[in-house]
Amino acid sequence: MSVVFLVQSEEQLRSGVAWCSAFAEAMDSSIVPVVLGEDRQVLEKHATSVLDDRFRSTNTEQVDVRTVAPTAAEILEVCHDLECRLLVILSTYTEERGKWQNELFETSTFRTVWLCPACDRPPQQRDLVGGFHDLDTLTRRVLSLIHI
C-alpha cells in the first residue's frame, strides 16, 4: 500500500514533501512519487535524489520514482498498479492543468487529497493527520478541496 505523490515541477516537489511524509507516517505506507510528463528525466532524477533522503523514514527501500503521462486514466492505472492508499494532488494554477486535476479528483476511486501548494506545513501530531479516514467520501472530498 502506498501514498502516491504527483509531481509536475520542482516547486511541487518542495511543497509536497512534508505533506506526503506526514500522510505516509500516519498511514504506515510507503511514498511513491509519480512525475507527470514523459519527457521529464531531469525532474525525475532530481526527485529521486531529493526524496531518497527525505523519505528514508517511511520507505524501506530506495524511492522508486515513476513517470506517467498527465492524464487521469494513466494516473489512475498507475495508482491501481501501486495499490494506492492515498493519492496526493498539488493544485496548479494553469487552466489546462486544473481541468485534468479536477477530472482526476472527481473520478478517482482512491482516497484523494488535493492540496494548495501555498499552504502551511502539515500538522505535526500523527492523530491530526490521520483523522480524515473515518469521514464519508463527500466530506473527505470537500475537506480536500479546502486544503484539509
Side-chain angles (χ1 to χ4, degrees), residues 40-75:
R40 310 294 295 265
Q41 289 87 8
V42 173
L43 182 57
E44 184 178 355
K45 287 180 183 178
H46 180 61
T48 301
S49 67
V50 168
L51 301 178
D52 213 21
D53 287 334
R54 177 64 188 206
F55 294 157
R56 199 173 304 274
S57 64
T58 53
N59 289 13
T60 56
E61 300 175 5
Q62 183 178 9
V63 173
D64 179 23
V65 178
R66 304 287 179 101
T67 304
V68 67
T71 65
E74 291 200 34
I75 292 167

Side-chain angles (χ1 to χ4, degrees), residues 1-100:
M1 302 298 248
S2 61
V3 172
V4 175
F5 171 31
L6 301 182
V7 180
Q8 287 183 288
S9 67
E10 201 276 329
E11 178 187 349
Q12 285 185 335
L13 181 63
R14 254 192 339 268
S15 60
V17 166
W19 283 96
C20 289
S21 294
F23 289 136
E25 287 175 17
M27 300 173 81
D28 194 27
S29 296
S30 62
I31 301 164
V32 180
V34 176
V35 173
L36 302 176
E38 295 165 339
D39 60 344
R40 310 294 295 265
Q41 289 87 8
V42 173
L43 182 57
E44 184 178 355
K45 287 180 183 178
H46 180 61
T48 301
S49 67
V50 168
L51 301 178
D52 213 21
D53 287 334
R54 177 64 188 206
F55 294 157
R56 199 173 304 274
S57 64
T58 53
N59 289 13
T60 56
E61 300 175 5
Q62 183 178 9
V63 173
D64 179 23
V65 178
R66 304 287 179 101
T67 304
V68 67
T71 65
E74 291 200 34
I75 292 167
L76 292 175
E77 184 177 324
V78 167
C79 288
H80 182 268
D81 294 345
L82 295 170
E83 297 180 356
C84 178
R85 197 162 171 202
L86 180 69
L87 174 60
V88 180
I89 304 169
L90 295 177
S91 181
T92 55
Y93 301 108
T94 63
E95 188 174 337
E96 177 186 321
R97 287 183 181 170
K99 286 180 182 179
W100 72 258

Side-chain angles (χ1 to χ4, degrees), residues 11 13-23 54 115-125 128-129 147-148:
E11 178 187 349
L13 181 63
R14 254 192 339 268
S15 60
V17 166
W19 283 96
C20 289
S21 294
F23 289 136
R54 177 64 188 206
L115 301 171
C116 174
C119 46
D120 294 320
R121 297 182 98 39
Q124 298 301 308
Q125 295 173 316
L128 292 176
V129 176
H147 317 300
I148 301 189

